[in-house]
Amino acid sequence: MKRKIFKSIAAVGMACFIAVSCMAGCSTDGGTEKKGTVFYLNFKPEQDKAWQNLAKAYTEETGVNVKVTTAAEGTYEETLTAEMDKDNAPTLFQVNGPIGLANWDEDCMDLEGTDVYNELTSKDYALKNTDGVVKGIAYVIETYGIIYNRTILQKYCDSDFATVKKIEDINSFDKLKTVADEIQANAEALGVKGAFTSTGMDSSSDWRFKTHLANIPVYYEYKDENITSTKEIKGTYLDNYKNIFDLYITDSTTKPTDLANKTGTDSETEFIKGQAVFFQNGSWEYGVLTEAGMKDEDLGMLPIYIGVEGEENQGLCTGSENYWVVNANSSEEDQQATLDFMKWCVTSETGTKAMADEMNFVIPFKSAKEATNIFVKTDKEMTEAGKTPVSWNFTTMPSENWKDGVGVALTQYAAGTGKWEDVVKAFVDGWKTEYAKVS
Amino acid sequence: MFRKPKRKLYSLIFVLPTFAAFVIGFIYPFFSGVYLSFCKFRTTSNAKFIGFDNYIKAFQNEGFIRSFWFTALFVIVSVVLINLIAFFVAYALTLGIRGSNVFRTVFFMPNLIGGIILGYIWQLIFNGILKNYGTNLALNANYGFWGLVILMCWQQAGYMMIIYIAGFQSVPGDLYEAAKIDGANKHQLLRNVTIPMMMPSITICTFLTLTNSFKLFDQNLALTGGAPGVVSEGGTMVYQTQMMALNIYRTFYENANSRGVGQAEAVIFFIIVVVIALAQLAFTRKREVQQ
């Protein structure tokens, strides 16, 4: 009896296997005959669903097959490496800037003169390799700074103990520190736990400090030296970096010794629950915050002031680390299909609408829909008011290893088990060592 | 006269599927892996032969050297502890205590849980305790080390215990009887009868714990992820609780130039594991006795 059951299971299994493999064979034969296909390896897990829907809509409209695969958070490089080795490699994938492009340069086709390149509002959003060939196209522009809870901050401004009486008056590190210190001292009166949400050093959160916050001192140094990247960083503004980091960990909801394991979600939750006023993050948080019930009028964003001269004219940090690149090794039909798909995404009604509303993206293309994102609007207003946006220079940071080094040193420093000198060492010496490794 | 070759032919045919699977799943990846360790490559289909460069870089990689010593220390401590615990638990459970079947199941269960999940669960437990002292797994390498040891003992001891129980039960009762009649005490029974008779079990268990501990990855990744790191002289960061497998994985994906280095480290790692495991097998085999 037992043997009989086993036999029949085996038989059915074999039959299924043959049927499936036959069907898979048939379908690919039919699909790739004339039209090319698109295979997009998406970087942003939070937008996976939106991309899947958009791909479906495109297939319905044009009959071209679009496959979207999303790498799990923090594993893009691994997934890309594995996928690029396969026969059906992604036709469209992304790199995060000059350093990322250096890794995949040979596999990226020249995009100059393509429709999607011509659609860019500014050619500055194209990414060139070291030889000056256009290889990548930024498809989303993002902004970060210190997100604040307008309601609570206003409550602070209206209180007797407040030195700063208007939100607009916060335009330097000193004022920011005064406000944060006073909020921290009067936390109970304001109904908060601290001025800043936890500066979590878990890997889901530490990029906010080892990458995004570290961008500010790098930005000012580049500005001083009039350069856009460097093999050796001096660390001129590292004291300022220390000041802002100290402020984050001192005027906080959480004891510095508990920060090592705090996650991004912890920090996000504290902000949503109104336990803190300030939360360093970016425009991509808008979806999460509004879905949790926060209203546009509750939200605002301040530039990250670190105490540099003339910083009252500093704007938010705006830039991109998401560049589309097209696989140079794909067949011509596939490349064409991919370029058509990219064009459709940024010009068609369906495409632009999905990117603006569903993905909350601000896209740097001529037919872009106005975004509803409040942080993006703030950025626009500030730029119009004459403030200079801080560019994203962290795409020129030498490697992930460098960022990890700074992150680890910051973690130890916050917990009191490490010294600030180690952060400096990781920042300055590490930059040189890591740069030498990749070049 | 024709029977013999025909038989041979049949056996070849029958062995073919498994052999093909072995070639595809093991032989080919293994040799292409060794070849790749001498190449500069980003994707495996586009590799350029460069000779021993990767091996030189691997030996210069501070993180790799550090992970070797960390792994070695971890292996020594965990092999000893796991086997001692498993041996004595097995001994206790063969004494005929009531409910020993329940205990066997309970001790065995941790083995059925995946390493990543275990790592995260124990991370919560350790951090929950350490929080009271204002510290954290990610802040002190000693906590990470002993955390890993405790985790591995908890997970592996039950499995080894099952093997030891089988070993205990296979010792013939007449040997004990004979030894007792000769006037052996409990201690002598254990040393001169039980342990020699159980050498096969001990061989298997040390072999398993040794290689398992050496190749540990999931638990390491989930429990500490290598943290804490220390910034070394050159400004590069070296993880303190990173074992070799995790270091190889990290090196491989570090940047476009490091794939080959990771591959070379993997080959070195393979050689170390093989040498140690063979040496250990030869060493314990010598002590096995025929029943």
Side-chain angles (χ1 to χ4, degrees), chain A residues 369-386:
Chain A
K369 287 268 180 301
E370 177 118 25
T372 44
N373 193 316
I374 179 90
F375 302 128
V376 173
K377 282 184 192 162
T378 315
D379 175 50
K380 218 173 145 194
E381 283 161 20
M382 282 193 176
T383 312
E384 276 162 13

Side-chain angles (χ1 to χ4, degrees), chain A residues 184-204:
Chain A
Q184 191 72 22
N186 299 289
E188 248 171 65
L190 293 165
V192 295
K193 277 188 174 174
F196 285 93
T197 59
S198 55
T199 306
M201 296 312 288
D202 176 79
S203 62
S204 61

Side-chain angles (χ1 to χ4, degrees), chain B residues 186-200:
Chain B
K186 265 194 174 174
H187 178 72
Q188 283 169 322
L189 276 182
L190 183 71
R191 244 194 79 176
N192 298 325
V193 181
T194 316
I195 291 183
M197 291 309 288
M198 279 185 59
M199 262 340 258

Side-chain angles (χ1 to χ4, degrees), chain A residues 159-193:
Chain A
S159 315
D160 319 327
F161 51 78
T163 320
V164 180
K165 293 290 183 192
K166 265 161 70 186
I167 296 178
E168 290 73 40
D169 288 348
I170 309 174
N171 62 359
S172 67
F173 176 75
D174 289 336
K175 292 224 177 97
L176 180 67
K177 185 166 169 24
T178 315
V179 173
D181 286 348
E182 284 174 357
I183 292 177
Q184 191 72 22
N186 299 289
E188 248 171 65
L190 293 165
V192 295
K193 277 188 174 174

